[in-house]
Amino acid sequence: MGRSHRPHRRGDRHDESSPDSGERVLVLPGDQVAGHGWKPGRGTYRVGDRVFASVLGLYQPRPPLAQVVPLNGRYIPKEGDEVIGTVVDVQGTFWLLNIGAPRWAPLHMTGTPWSIEIGETQKYLHVGDAVLVRVESLDPTGRIGVTMLGDDLGKLEGGTIITVSPAKIPRVIGRGASMIQTITRLTGARVAVGRNGRIWIDGPPEAIQRVAESLRLIDDEGHRPGLTERVESYLAATASSADVLMRSTPRSLVDAAPEREGPEPDRSGPEDP
Amino acid sequence: MGSVGAKEVPVLMTPDGRRIDGRRWDELRPIHIVAGPLRQADGSAFVEWGANKVMAAVYGPREVHPRHLQENHRAIVQCRYNMAAFSVDERKRPGLDRRSQEISKVIAEAFDSVVFAEEFPRTSIDVYIEVLQANAGTRCAGLVAASVALADAGIPMVDLLPAVAVGKVAGEVVLDLKKEEDNFGEADLPMAMVPQSGRLVLLQMEGHMTREELSKALDLGVKGCREVHEKMKEALRARYTTTDAGADA
Protein backbone atom coordinates (compact mmCIF):
# COMPACT_ATOMS: atom_id res chain seq x y z
CA MET A 1 0.00 0.00 0.00
CA GLY A 2 1.50 3.32 -0.99
CA ARG A 3 1.84 5.72 1.87
CA SER A 4 -0.30 8.79 1.50
CA HIS A 5 1.53 12.03 1.04
CA ARG A 6 -1.08 14.00 2.89
CA PRO A 7 0.25 15.71 6.02
CA HIS A 8 -0.31 13.67 9.16
CA ARG A 9 -2.30 15.14 11.97
CA ARG A 10 -0.53 15.78 15.21
CA GLY A 11 -0.48 12.61 17.22
CA ASP A 12 -1.19 10.46 14.22
CA ARG A 13 0.59 7.18 14.30
CA HIS A 14 3.11 6.38 11.64
CA ASP A 15 3.13 2.62 11.54
CA GLU A 16 1.79 0.88 8.48
CA SER A 17 -1.58 0.27 10.06
CA SER A 18 -2.16 3.94 10.63
CA PRO A 19 -5.17 5.07 8.67
CA ASP A 20 -5.05 7.84 6.21
CA SER A 21 -5.63 11.09 8.02
CA GLY A 22 -8.20 12.23 5.47
CA GLU A 23 -11.90 12.39 6.03
CA ARG A 24 -13.30 9.27 7.66
CA VAL A 25 -17.00 8.91 7.29
CA LEU A 26 -18.99 6.05 8.78
CA VAL A 27 -20.76 4.23 5.97
CA LEU A 28 -23.15 1.28 5.92
CA PRO A 29 -23.64 -1.49 3.34
CA GLY A 30 -25.55 -0.04 0.39
CA ASP A 31 -24.45 3.57 0.94
CA GLN A 32 -23.18 5.20 -2.22
CA VAL A 33 -19.62 6.37 -1.56
CA ALA A 34 -18.40 7.57 -4.95
CA GLY A 35 -19.50 8.32 -8.47
CA HIS A 36 -18.01 8.47 -11.92
CA GLY A 37 -14.26 8.06 -12.24
CA TRP A 38 -13.70 6.06 -9.06
CA LYS A 39 -12.57 2.47 -8.90
CA PRO A 40 -14.06 0.11 -6.34
CA GLY A 41 -11.45 -0.79 -3.70
CA ARG A 42 -11.89 -3.13 -0.78
CA GLY A 43 -15.17 -2.95 1.07
CA THR A 44 -16.98 -1.59 -1.98
CA TYR A 45 -18.68 -2.69 -5.20
CA ARG A 46 -19.66 -0.96 -8.39
CA VAL A 47 -22.98 -0.73 -10.21
CA GLY A 48 -22.77 1.24 -13.45
CA ASP A 49 -20.54 4.18 -12.61
CA ARG A 50 -21.55 4.39 -8.98
CA VAL A 51 -19.56 2.85 -6.13
CA PHE A 52 -21.32 1.54 -3.01
CA ALA A 53 -20.06 0.37 0.37
CA SER A 54 -20.42 -3.38 0.95
CA VAL A 55 -19.45 -3.35 4.62
CA LEU A 56 -19.97 -1.19 7.66
CA GLY A 57 -16.82 0.84 8.08
CA LEU A 58 -14.99 4.08 7.53
CA TYR A 59 -14.80 5.50 4.02
CA GLN A 60 -11.16 6.32 3.31
CA PRO A 61 -10.72 7.17 -0.36
CA ARG A 62 -7.32 7.05 -2.00
CA PRO A 63 -7.93 8.42 -5.47
CA PRO A 64 -8.81 6.82 -7.76
CA LEU A 65 -9.64 4.01 -5.33
CA ALA A 66 -12.80 4.24 -3.26
CA GLN A 67 -12.38 2.00 -0.24
CA VAL A 68 -14.10 1.24 3.03
CA VAL A 69 -12.09 -0.03 5.97
CA PRO A 70 -14.33 -2.37 7.94
CA LEU A 71 -14.91 -1.67 11.63
CA ASN A 72 -15.82 -5.19 12.58
CA GLY A 73 -15.90 -8.72 11.35
CA ARG A 74 -13.78 -11.80 11.56
CA TYR A 75 -10.03 -11.77 11.32
CA ILE A 76 -9.00 -11.80 7.66
CA PRO A 77 -5.55 -13.38 7.45
CA LYS A 78 -2.61 -11.64 5.82
CA GLU A 79 0.66 -13.27 4.91
CA GLY A 80 3.26 -12.69 7.61
CA ASP A 81 0.79 -12.07 10.43
CA GLU A 82 1.63 -13.67 13.76
CA VAL A 83 -1.53 -15.19 15.15
CA ILE A 84 -2.58 -17.23 18.17
CA GLY A 85 -4.51 -20.38 17.40
CA THR A 86 -6.02 -23.23 19.34
CA VAL A 87 -5.86 -26.82 18.12
CA VAL A 88 -9.30 -28.08 17.08
CA ASP A 89 -8.30 -31.33 15.37
CA VAL A 90 -5.29 -33.63 15.17
CA GLN A 91 -4.58 -35.56 11.95
CA GLY A 92 -1.72 -37.86 10.97
CA THR A 93 0.52 -35.20 9.51
CA PHE A 94 -1.01 -31.92 10.60
CA TRP A 95 -3.11 -30.11 13.16
CA LEU A 96 -6.10 -27.92 12.43
CA LEU A 97 -6.01 -24.56 14.20
CA ASN A 98 -8.80 -22.16 14.95
CA ILE A 99 -7.28 -18.72 14.46
CA GLY A 100 -10.59 -16.85 14.44
CA ALA A 101 -10.53 -16.60 10.64
CA PRO A 102 -13.37 -17.75 8.39
CA ARG A 103 -11.64 -21.12 8.02
CA TRP A 104 -9.46 -23.39 10.12
CA ALA A 105 -5.77 -23.31 9.35
CA PRO A 106 -3.75 -26.50 8.94
CA LEU A 107 -0.35 -26.52 10.66
CA HIS A 108 1.70 -29.21 8.92
CA MET A 109 4.23 -31.15 10.99
CA THR A 110 7.04 -29.94 8.70
CA GLY A 111 6.17 -26.42 9.84
CA THR A 112 7.27 -27.15 13.41
CA PRO A 113 10.70 -27.19 15.05
CA TRP A 114 10.11 -30.82 16.04
CA SER A 115 11.10 -33.88 13.99
CA ILE A 116 7.92 -35.91 14.00
CA GLU A 117 7.13 -39.34 12.63
CA ILE A 118 3.90 -39.58 10.65
CA GLY A 119 1.11 -40.47 13.05
CA GLU A 120 2.87 -39.06 16.08
CA THR A 121 1.36 -35.58 15.82
CA GLN A 122 -0.81 -36.17 18.88
CA LYS A 123 2.30 -36.55 21.03
CA TYR A 124 3.16 -32.91 20.45
CA LEU A 125 -0.07 -30.92 20.36
CA HIS A 126 -3.52 -31.86 21.60
CA VAL A 127 -6.96 -30.45 20.99
CA GLY A 128 -7.22 -27.26 23.04
CA ASP A 129 -3.50 -26.41 23.03
CA ALA A 130 -2.61 -22.83 22.14
CA VAL A 131 0.15 -21.95 19.69
CA LEU A 132 1.73 -18.81 18.31
CA VAL A 133 2.17 -19.26 14.55
CA ARG A 134 2.73 -17.18 11.44
CA VAL A 135 0.48 -17.04 8.39
CA GLU A 136 2.65 -18.37 5.58
CA SER A 137 0.38 -18.85 2.59
CA LEU A 138 -3.08 -17.93 1.43
CA ASP A 139 -4.87 -19.21 -1.63
CA PRO A 140 -7.99 -18.01 -3.45
CA THR A 141 -10.12 -20.85 -2.07
CA GLY A 142 -9.57 -19.45 1.41
CA ARG A 143 -7.05 -22.05 2.54
CA ILE A 144 -4.68 -20.68 5.18
CA GLY A 145 -1.23 -22.20 5.68
CA VAL A 146 0.58 -21.48 8.94
CA THR A 147 4.05 -22.26 10.25
CA MET A 148 5.59 -22.52 13.67
CA LEU A 149 9.12 -21.99 12.33
CA GLY A 150 10.29 -18.58 13.41
CA ASP A 151 11.86 -16.70 16.25
CA ASP A 152 8.99 -16.01 18.59
CA LEU A 153 6.76 -18.84 17.45
CA GLY A 154 5.87 -21.96 19.35
CA LYS A 155 3.51 -23.61 21.74
CA LEU A 156 2.05 -21.39 24.46
CA GLU A 157 2.28 -23.21 27.79
CA GLY A 158 0.03 -22.12 30.63
CA GLY A 159 -1.37 -18.64 30.79
CA THR A 160 -4.70 -17.46 29.51
CA ILE A 161 -6.04 -16.03 26.26
CA ILE A 162 -8.10 -12.85 25.91
CA THR A 163 -9.87 -11.90 22.70
CA VAL A 164 -10.25 -8.34 21.44
CA SER A 165 -11.41 -7.06 18.09
CA PRO A 166 -8.69 -7.69 15.47
CA ALA A 167 -9.18 -4.06 14.39
CA LYS A 168 -7.84 -2.95 17.80
CA ILE A 169 -4.57 -4.85 17.67
CA PRO A 170 -2.56 -1.84 16.38
CA ARG A 171 -3.75 0.01 19.49
CA VAL A 172 -2.80 -2.86 21.76
CA ILE A 173 0.71 -2.84 20.36
CA GLY A 174 0.96 0.94 20.16
CA ARG A 175 3.43 3.07 18.25
CA GLY A 176 6.76 1.29 18.24
CA ALA A 177 5.26 -1.31 20.60
CA SER A 178 4.92 1.39 23.29
CA MET A 179 1.54 0.27 24.60
CA ILE A 180 2.41 -3.37 25.00
CA GLN A 181 5.72 -2.46 26.62
CA THR A 182 3.92 -0.22 29.10
CA ILE A 183 1.58 -3.02 30.00
CA THR A 184 4.25 -5.67 30.44
CA ARG A 185 6.45 -3.27 32.40
CA LEU A 186 3.73 -2.24 34.84
CA THR A 187 2.34 -5.72 35.41
CA GLY A 188 5.31 -8.03 35.02
CA ALA A 189 3.17 -10.38 32.96
CA ARG A 190 4.37 -12.16 29.83
CA VAL A 191 2.20 -11.23 26.87
CA ALA A 192 1.96 -12.50 23.27
CA VAL A 193 -0.16 -10.50 20.84
CA GLY A 194 -1.71 -12.19 17.82
CA ARG A 195 -2.86 -10.12 14.84
CA ASN A 196 -6.09 -12.10 14.97
CA GLY A 197 -7.17 -10.33 18.14
CA ARG A 198 -6.09 -13.03 20.57
CA ILE A 199 -3.70 -12.12 23.31
CA TRP A 200 -1.93 -14.64 25.50
CA ILE A 201 -1.04 -13.60 29.05
CA ASP A 202 0.98 -15.49 31.63
CA GLY A 203 2.05 -14.55 35.15
CA PRO A 204 0.55 -14.30 38.63
CA PRO A 205 -3.28 -14.35 38.55
CA GLU A 206 -3.41 -10.75 39.71
CA ALA A 207 -1.10 -9.63 36.91
CA ILE A 208 -3.19 -11.50 34.34
CA GLN A 209 -6.28 -9.82 35.71
CA ARG A 210 -4.73 -6.39 35.34
CA VAL A 211 -3.52 -7.04 31.79
CA ALA A 212 -6.96 -8.35 30.85
CA GLU A 213 -8.59 -5.24 32.25
CA SER A 214 -6.17 -2.98 30.35
CA LEU A 215 -7.03 -4.86 27.15
CA ARG A 216 -10.72 -4.42 27.79
CA LEU A 217 -10.06 -0.70 28.20
CA ILE A 218 -8.27 -0.60 24.85
CA ASP A 219 -10.96 -2.66 23.15
CA ASP A 220 -13.80 -0.46 24.42
CA GLU A 221 -12.18 2.97 24.35
CA GLY A 222 -9.36 2.53 21.86
CA HIS A 223 -10.59 5.42 19.76
CA ARG A 224 -10.49 8.09 22.47
CA PRO A 225 -7.36 10.20 22.88
CA GLY A 226 -5.00 9.76 25.79
CA LEU A 227 -5.35 5.99 25.77
CA THR A 228 -1.83 5.28 27.00
CA GLU A 229 -2.32 7.65 29.93
CA ARG A 230 -5.58 6.01 30.89
CA VAL A 231 -4.08 2.53 30.74
CA GLU A 232 -1.11 3.72 32.76
CA SER A 233 -3.26 5.33 35.42
CA TYR A 234 -5.42 2.22 35.63
CA LEU A 235 -2.34 0.05 36.09
CA ALA A 236 -0.85 2.46 38.64
CA ALA A 237 -4.10 2.56 40.60
CA THR A 238 -4.31 -1.21 40.79
CA ALA A 239 -0.66 -1.82 41.55
CA SER A 240 -0.29 -3.87 44.73
CA SER A 241 2.72 -4.44 46.94
CA ALA A 242 3.50 -7.54 44.89
CA ASP A 243 4.90 -5.53 42.02
CA VAL A 244 6.05 -2.35 43.70
CA LEU A 245 9.52 -3.59 42.90
CA MET A 246 8.66 -3.73 39.22
CA ARG A 247 7.31 -0.23 39.17
CA SER A 248 10.18 1.25 41.09
CA THR A 249 12.62 0.19 38.42
CA PRO A 250 13.95 3.48 37.04
CA ARG A 251 12.20 4.21 33.83
CA SER A 252 15.39 5.05 32.03
CA LEU A 253 16.66 1.54 32.64
CA VAL A 254 13.60 -0.02 31.12
CA ASP A 255 13.66 2.32 28.18
CA ALA A 256 17.35 1.74 27.60
CA ALA A 257 16.68 -1.92 26.98
CA PRO A 258 13.38 -2.00 25.14
CA GLU A 259 11.63 -5.28 25.34
CA ARG A 260 10.95 -7.19 22.24
CA GLU A 261 7.43 -6.88 21.00
CA GLY A 262 5.56 -9.82 22.37
CA PRO A 263 6.86 -12.33 24.82
CA GLU A 264 9.32 -15.11 24.82
CA PRO A 265 6.95 -17.93 24.27
CA ASP A 266 7.97 -21.36 25.26
CA ARG A 267 9.62 -22.89 22.25
CA SER A 268 10.32 -26.23 23.79
CA GLY A 269 8.09 -28.96 22.56
CA PRO A 270 7.42 -31.94 24.74
CA GLU A 271 10.48 -33.93 25.68
CA ASP A 272 11.62 -35.90 22.68
CA PRO A 273 10.09 -39.30 22.97
CA MET B 1 -52.44 -19.78 14.95
CA GLY B 2 -54.39 -18.93 18.07
CA SER B 3 -58.08 -19.44 18.45
CA VAL B 4 -59.51 -17.86 15.35
CA GLY B 5 -63.25 -18.04 15.09
CA ALA B 6 -63.83 -18.41 18.79
CA LYS B 7 -63.56 -14.66 19.31
CA GLU B 8 -65.78 -11.98 17.95
CA VAL B 9 -64.38 -10.11 14.99
CA PRO B 10 -63.12 -6.75 16.32
CA VAL B 11 -63.72 -3.46 14.53
CA LEU B 12 -60.67 -3.31 12.27
CA MET B 13 -61.34 0.03 10.61
CA THR B 14 -63.40 2.91 11.94
CA PRO B 15 -65.46 5.04 9.53
CA ASP B 16 -62.90 7.85 9.78
CA GLY B 17 -60.08 5.55 8.67
CA ARG B 18 -58.52 4.63 12.02
CA ARG B 19 -57.24 1.10 12.51
CA ILE B 20 -57.57 -1.01 15.65
CA ASP B 21 -54.60 0.70 17.29
CA GLY B 22 -55.38 4.17 15.93
CA ARG B 23 -52.99 4.07 12.96
CA ARG B 24 -53.82 5.29 9.47
CA TRP B 25 -53.66 2.85 6.55
CA ASP B 26 -50.11 3.81 5.62
CA GLU B 27 -48.51 3.95 9.07
CA LEU B 28 -45.99 1.56 10.63
CA ARG B 29 -46.02 0.45 14.22
CA PRO B 30 -43.25 1.98 16.36
CA ILE B 31 -39.89 0.32 15.61
CA HIS B 32 -36.92 0.29 17.93
CA ILE B 33 -33.67 -1.40 16.88
CA VAL B 34 -30.54 -2.04 18.94
CA ALA B 35 -27.39 -3.14 17.07
CA GLY B 36 -24.85 -5.40 18.73
CA PRO B 37 -26.37 -6.30 22.11
CA LEU B 38 -24.68 -9.74 22.25
CA ARG B 39 -21.00 -10.23 23.00
CA GLN B 40 -20.38 -13.82 21.90
CA ALA B 41 -21.90 -13.59 18.43
CA ASP B 42 -19.97 -12.04 15.53
CA GLY B 43 -22.95 -9.73 15.07
CA SER B 44 -26.33 -9.25 16.69
CA ALA B 45 -29.42 -7.09 16.84
CA PHE B 46 -32.59 -6.73 18.89
CA VAL B 47 -35.76 -5.44 17.31
CA GLU B 48 -38.95 -4.25 18.97
CA TRP B 49 -41.60 -3.71 16.34
CA GLY B 50 -44.98 -2.95 17.84
CA ALA B 51 -45.47 -5.80 20.29
CA ASN B 52 -42.93 -8.03 18.48
CA LYS B 53 -39.63 -8.64 20.21
CA VAL B 54 -36.98 -10.43 18.16
CA MET B 55 -33.31 -11.17 18.79
CA ALA B 56 -30.94 -12.11 15.98
CA ALA B 57 -27.36 -13.38 16.12
CA VAL B 58 -24.93 -13.99 13.27
CA TYR B 59 -21.89 -16.26 13.29
CA GLY B 60 -19.37 -16.53 10.53
CA PRO B 61 -18.14 -16.83 7.96
CA ARG B 62 -17.04 -20.05 9.60
CA GLU B 63 -16.43 -23.72 8.85
CA VAL B 64 -19.50 -25.51 7.51
CA HIS B 65 -21.22 -28.13 9.62
CA PRO B 66 -22.25 -30.61 8.38
CA ARG B 67 -19.36 -30.72 5.92
CA HIS B 68 -21.29 -32.01 2.90
CA LEU B 69 -23.21 -28.73 2.68
CA GLN B 70 -19.96 -26.89 1.93
CA GLU B 71 -19.66 -25.24 -1.48
CA ASN B 72 -16.15 -24.86 -2.78
CA HIS B 73 -16.56 -21.55 -4.59
CA ARG B 74 -18.75 -19.62 -2.19
CA ALA B 75 -20.15 -19.31 1.32
CA ILE B 76 -23.56 -20.70 2.14
CA VAL B 77 -26.12 -18.79 4.19
CA GLN B 78 -27.96 -20.83 6.80
CA CYS B 79 -30.80 -19.50 8.88
CA ARG B 80 -32.78 -20.74 11.82
CA TYR B 81 -35.96 -18.88 12.68
CA ASN B 82 -37.43 -20.01 15.96
CA MET B 83 -40.34 -18.88 18.11
CA ALA B 84 -40.03 -19.13 21.86
CA ALA B 85 -42.66 -21.23 23.62
CA PHE B 86 -43.76 -18.10 25.47
CA SER B 87 -43.92 -15.85 22.41
CA VAL B 88 -47.64 -16.33 21.79
CA ASP B 89 -50.82 -16.39 23.92
CA GLU B 90 -51.18 -20.15 23.94
CA ARG B 91 -47.91 -21.91 24.64
CA LYS B 92 -46.22 -22.83 21.38
CA ARG B 93 -44.80 -26.32 21.18
CA PRO B 94 -41.05 -25.67 21.14
CA GLY B 95 -38.82 -26.57 18.25
CA LEU B 96 -38.97 -26.72 14.49
CA ASP B 97 -42.33 -26.94 12.81
CA ARG B 98 -43.37 -26.59 9.20
CA ARG B 99 -43.98 -22.89 9.55
CA SER B 100 -40.59 -22.07 11.06
CA GLN B 101 -38.81 -24.28 8.52
CA GLU B 102 -40.46 -22.38 5.71
CA ILE B 103 -39.61 -19.00 7.20
CA SER B 104 -36.01 -20.07 7.83
CA LYS B 105 -35.73 -21.11 4.20
CA VAL B 106 -37.15 -17.93 2.68
CA ILE B 107 -35.06 -15.72 4.95
CA ALA B 108 -31.87 -17.65 4.16
CA GLU B 109 -32.60 -17.31 0.45
CA ALA B 110 -33.28 -13.59 0.79
CA PHE B 111 -29.89 -13.05 2.43
CA ASP B 112 -28.17 -15.39 0.01
CA SER B 113 -29.05 -12.95 -2.75
CA VAL B 114 -27.49 -9.89 -1.07
CA VAL B 115 -24.40 -11.31 0.64
CA PHE B 116 -21.11 -11.39 -1.32
CA ALA B 117 -20.73 -15.09 -0.72
CA GLU B 118 -17.89 -15.61 -3.24
CA GLU B 119 -15.51 -13.83 -0.88
CA PHE B 120 -15.57 -16.70 1.60
CA PRO B 121 -15.42 -20.06 -0.21
CA ARG B 122 -16.20 -23.24 1.74
CA THR B 123 -17.65 -21.35 4.69
CA SER B 124 -21.04 -20.81 6.25
CA ILE B 125 -22.74 -17.65 7.45
CA ASP B 126 -25.14 -18.70 10.17
CA VAL B 127 -28.10 -16.54 11.10
CA TYR B 128 -30.15 -17.27 14.21
CA ILE B 129 -33.46 -15.53 14.77
CA GLU B 130 -35.30 -15.95 18.06
CA VAL B 131 -38.80 -14.55 18.36
CA LEU B 132 -39.39 -13.74 22.02
CA GLN B 133 -42.78 -12.12 21.61
CA ALA B 134 -44.98 -12.34 18.53
CA ASN B 135 -47.68 -10.05 17.23
CA ALA B 136 -47.83 -10.62 13.45
CA GLY B 137 -45.06 -9.71 11.06
CA THR B 138 -42.35 -11.68 12.89
CA ARG B 139 -40.70 -12.88 9.69
CA CYS B 140 -40.23 -9.26 8.69
CA ALA B 141 -39.04 -8.25 12.16
CA GLY B 142 -36.73 -11.27 12.18
CA LEU B 143 -35.35 -10.42 8.77
CA VAL B 144 -34.70 -6.83 9.78
CA ALA B 145 -32.98 -7.95 12.98
CA ALA B 146 -30.87 -10.47 11.06
CA SER B 147 -29.89 -7.88 8.47
CA VAL B 148 -28.68 -5.42 11.12
CA ALA B 149 -26.84 -8.31 12.79
CA LEU B 150 -25.14 -9.20 9.49
CA ALA B 151 -23.93 -5.62 9.08
CA ASP B 152 -22.78 -5.68 12.71
CA ALA B 153 -20.86 -8.89 11.93
CA GLY B 154 -18.98 -7.12 9.12
CA ILE B 155 -20.34 -9.40 6.40
CA PRO B 156 -20.01 -7.78 2.95
CA MET B 157 -23.34 -7.36 1.23
CA VAL B 158 -25.12 -5.35 -1.43
CA ASP B 159 -27.32 -3.52 1.04
CA LEU B 160 -29.29 -3.76 4.25
CA LEU B 161 -32.51 -5.66 3.82
CA PRO B 162 -35.58 -3.89 5.18
CA ALA B 163 -38.85 -5.83 5.25
CA VAL B 164 -42.48 -5.11 5.97
CA ALA B 165 -45.85 -6.78 5.59
CA VAL B 166 -48.71 -5.18 3.71
CA GLY B 167 -52.23 -6.56 3.76
CA LYS B 168 -55.90 -6.08 3.19
CA VAL B 169 -58.06 -5.37 6.21
CA ALA B 170 -61.77 -4.53 6.15
CA GLY B 171 -61.51 -4.01 2.42
CA GLU B 172 -58.59 -1.57 2.62
CA VAL B 173 -54.95 -2.06 1.69
CA VAL B 174 -52.93 -1.28 4.84
CA LEU B 175 -49.29 -1.25 5.94
CA ASP B 176 -47.78 -3.44 8.69
CA LEU B 177 -50.58 -5.65 10.02
CA LYS B 178 -50.82 -6.32 13.72
CA LYS B 179 -52.14 -9.52 15.18
CA GLU B 180 -55.89 -8.82 15.03
CA GLU B 181 -55.57 -7.50 11.50
CA ASP B 182 -53.60 -10.56 10.45
CA ASN B 183 -56.08 -12.94 12.06
CA PHE B 184 -59.27 -11.30 10.82
CA GLY B 185 -58.04 -9.50 7.71
CA GLU B 186 -58.38 -10.66 4.11
CA ALA B 187 -54.76 -10.76 2.95
CA ASP B 188 -51.19 -10.62 4.21
CA LEU B 189 -48.22 -9.85 1.97
CA PRO B 190 -44.78 -9.85 3.59
CA MET B 191 -41.95 -8.49 1.47
CA ALA B 192 -38.25 -7.59 1.70
CA MET B 193 -36.50 -5.15 -0.58
CA VAL B 194 -32.96 -4.18 -1.55
CA PRO B 195 -33.16 -0.37 -1.21
CA GLN B 196 -30.18 0.27 -3.48
CA SER B 197 -31.85 -1.36 -6.50
CA GLY B 198 -35.48 -1.66 -5.47
CA ARG B 199 -35.31 -5.41 -6.07
CA LEU B 200 -37.64 -7.63 -4.00
CA VAL B 201 -35.91 -10.66 -2.48
CA LEU B 202 -38.79 -11.94 -0.41
CA LEU B 203 -42.43 -11.86 -1.42
CA GLN B 204 -45.12 -14.11 -0.05
CA MET B 205 -48.87 -13.80 0.08
CA GLU B 206 -51.75 -15.29 1.97
CA GLY B 207 -55.39 -14.45 1.23
CA HIS B 208 -56.95 -12.68 -1.70
CA MET B 209 -56.47 -9.33 -3.42
CA THR B 210 -57.49 -7.92 -6.74
CA ARG B 211 -54.83 -6.98 -9.27
CA GLU B 212 -55.32 -3.29 -8.44
CA GLU B 213 -55.07 -3.94 -4.72
CA LEU B 214 -51.91 -5.97 -5.21
CA SER B 215 -50.23 -3.22 -7.15
CA LYS B 216 -51.27 -0.68 -4.54
CA ALA B 217 -50.00 -3.00 -1.81
CA LEU B 218 -46.61 -3.38 -3.48
CA ASP B 219 -46.19 0.38 -3.73
CA LEU B 220 -47.14 0.72 -0.09
CA GLY B 221 -44.69 -2.01 0.86
CA VAL B 222 -41.86 -0.26 -0.96
CA LYS B 223 -42.63 2.92 0.96
CA GLY B 224 -42.75 0.95 4.23
CA CYS B 225 -39.42 -0.73 3.48
CA ARG B 226 -37.80 2.66 2.93
CA GLU B 227 -39.02 3.82 6.35
CA VAL B 228 -37.76 0.63 7.99
CA HIS B 229 -34.43 1.07 6.18
CA GLU B 230 -33.97 4.46 7.86
CA LYS B 231 -34.53 2.88 11.30
CA MET B 232 -31.95 0.19 10.54
CA LYS B 233 -29.35 2.76 9.48
CA GLU B 234 -30.04 4.86 12.57
CA ALA B 235 -29.47 1.87 14.84
CA LEU B 236 -26.14 0.96 13.22
CA ARG B 237 -24.92 4.55 13.22
CA ALA B 238 -25.87 4.93 16.88
CA ARG B 239 -23.80 1.91 17.79
CA TYR B 240 -20.72 2.82 15.81
CA THR B 241 -20.55 6.54 16.33
CA THR B 242 -20.62 6.23 20.11
CA THR B 243 -18.02 3.51 20.46
CA ASP B 244 -15.98 2.96 17.33
CA ALA B 245 -16.08 5.91 15.02
CA GLY B 246 -12.42 6.69 15.49
CA ALA B 247 -11.22 3.13 15.72
CA ASP B 248 -8.24 1.95 13.80
CA ALA B 249 -8.45 -0.35 10.89
Side-chain angles (χ1 to χ4, degrees):
Chain A
M1 288 289 123
R3 185 70 56 80
S4 159
H5 55 264
R6 274 177 232 186
H8 284 272
R9 277 181 312 202
R10 195 164 57 87
D12 221 8
R13 304 204 338 274
H14 291 260
D15 60 16
E16 46 148 3
S17 52
S18 173
D20 194 292
S21 54
E23 59 275 52
R24 307 149 106 212
V25 186
L26 181 74
V27 293
L28 306 175
D31 287 353
Q32 187 180 345
V33 294
H36 181 75
W38 288 81
K39 289 181 171 165
R42 70 170 165 149
T44 67
Y45 64 96
R46 182 169 57 186
V47 177
D49 60 1
R50 298 185 298 165
V51 180
F52 297 89
S54 67
V55 293
L56 187 155
L58 299 172
Y59 179 56
Q60 292 173 25
R62 289 188 182 179
L65 214 57
Q67 57 178 10
V68 175
V69 177
L71 274 178
N72 49 24
R74 294 223 148 191
Y75 166 65
I76 303 300
K78 277 213 316 267
E79 255 172 65
D81 279 0
E82 285 186 9
V83 296
I84 292 173
T86 49
V87 178
V88 288
D89 197 9
V90 183
Q91 300 285 335
T93 60
F94 63 94
W95 301 269
L96 276 181
L97 306 182
N98 179 350
I99 59 169
R103 302 195 52 200
W104 291 341
L107 168 65
H108 197 259
M109 61 184 193
T110 55
T112 69
W114 313 312
S115 52
I116 307 173
E117 298 285 321
I118 288 174
E120 291 195 331
T121 41
Q122 76 278 6
K123 289 187 182 165
Y124 291 82
L125 291 172
H126 297 279
V127 171
D129 283 351
V131 289
L132 181 63
V133 294
R134 185 186 310 116
V135 178
E136 196 179 33
S137 62
L138 296 169
D139 81 6
T141 67
R143 221 168 273 138
I144 308 161
V146 295
T147 175
M148 205 195 261
L149 294 170
D151 266 355
D152 302 326
L153 310 178
K155 184 180 174 188
L156 298 167
E157 305 269 8
T160 190
I161 290 176
I162 299 284
T163 305
V164 303
S165 159
K168 296 291 172 50
I169 287 299
R171 300 272 179 187
V172 171
I173 295 170
R175 191 194 314 167
S178 58
M179 179 68 84
I180 195 66
Q181 282 177 17
T182 304
I183 293 173
T184 49
R185 188 181 74 237
L186 294 181
T187 58
R190 297 166 67 212
V191 180
V193 181
R195 281 277 163 186
N196 56 346
R198 296 187 185 177
I199 297 150
W200 174 84
I201 317 165
D202 195 18
E206 171 259 13
I208 293 178
Q209 172 63 40
R210 290 170 62 214
V211 175
E213 186 58 29
S214 312
L215 294 173
R216 196 200 57 75
L217 212 66
I218 297 169
D219 200 14
D220 291 349
E221 307 177 18
H223 59 289
R224 284 168 47 195
L227 184 65
T228 312
E229 288 71 32
R230 268 176 297 130
V231 170
E232 264 174 358
S233 71
Y234 162 75
L235 289 173
T238 55
S240 70
S241 53
D243 51 29
V244 161
L245 206 97
M246 288 302 293
R247 285 194 302 124
S248 60
T249 313
R251 222 186 147 132
S252 55
L253 271 183
V254 180
D255 285 347
E259 288 169 59
R260 283 197 304 169
E261 179 182 319
E264 322 235 344
D266 203 334
R267 294 198 61 216
S268 58
E271 313 69 50
D272 273 313
Chain B
M1 253 192 351
S3 42
V4 182
K7 286 183 207 156
E8 243 177 73
V9 178
V11 179
L12 294 174
M13 188 72 80
T14 64
D16 63 341
R18 295 277 179 185
R19 289 154 70 182
I20 194 161
D21 53 2
R23 282 184 290 156
R24 299 281 179 190
W25 64 281
D26 62 346
E27 285 176 352
L28 291 168
R29 291 174 282 180
I31 300 176
H32 179 64
I33 306 176
V34 180
L38 304 178
R39 217 157 219 274
Q40 301 301 336
D42 290 315
S44 58
F46 180 64
V47 169
E48 288 183 69
W49 183 327
N52 289 315
K53 291 181 201 282
V54 182
M55 183 73 93
V58 167
Y59 291 81
R62 64 178 180 184
E63 293 278 337
V64 185
H65 288 290
R67 259 270 156 78
H68 68 267
L69 295 175
Q70 173 175 298
E71 290 191 33
N72 51 24
H73 64 289
R74 69 194 300 274
I76 59 169
V77 180
Q78 301 187 93
C79 176
R80 191 190 69 166
Y81 163 101
N82 184 49
M83 283 177 97
F86 51 78
S87 62
V88 280
D89 289 345
E90 294 242 12
R91 178 178 182 277
K92 178 194 174 288
R93 209 159 160 265
L96 276 186
D97 53 26
R98 297 178 73 118
R99 179 176 168 278
S100 66
Q101 281 181 52
E102 174 203 307
I103 295 177
S104 302
K105 178 176 183 292
V106 294
I107 292 180
E109 285 170 0
F111 284 123
D112 201 51
S113 62
V114 291
V115 166
F116 287 107
E118 321 75 48
E119 290 187 27
F120 307 104
R122 295 174 196 264
T123 63
S124 172
I125 295 164
D126 298 334
V127 178
Y128 298 91
I129 297 168
E130 294 289 327
V131 178
L132 306 179
Q133 187 168 286
N135 192 284
T138 57
R139 78 190 64 195
C140 295
L143 207 130
V144 165
S147 176
V148 173
L150 279 162
D152 184 46
I155 311 274
M157 49 193 176
V158 172
D159 207 339
L160 296 172
L161 209 49
V164 76
V166 215
K168 184 180 169 190
V169 169
E172 298 272 347
V173 172
V174 297
L175 183 63
D176 188 19
L177 309 189
K178 79 190 295 281
K179 189 179 169 212
E180 291 77 5
E181 298 175 318
D182 189 21
N183 289 166
F184 302 106
E186 291 104 85
D188 179 22
L189 180 88
M191 57 195 274
M193 182 184 77
V194 184
Q196 187 255 100
S197 58
R199 207 161 58 98
L200 297 182
V201 291
L202 182 148
L203 187 65
Q204 298 183 294
M205 183 160 113
E206 195 184 332
H208 303 278
M209 273 191 207
T210 64
R211 193 178 281 258
E212 292 70 38
E213 283 163 346
L214 179 63
S215 118
K216 187 182 178 191
L218 287 171
D219 289 344
L220 185 58
V222 168
K223 171 188 161 294
C225 282
R226 300 229 179 262
E227 285 178 38
V228 174
H229 187 212
E230 290 306 315
K231 301 273 183 190
M232 297 165 77
K233 292 199 283 189
E234 266 170 42
L236 284 164
R237 289 216 185 88
R239 164 147 158 85
Y240 284 94
T241 43
T242 51
T243 63
D244 278 329
D248 255 0

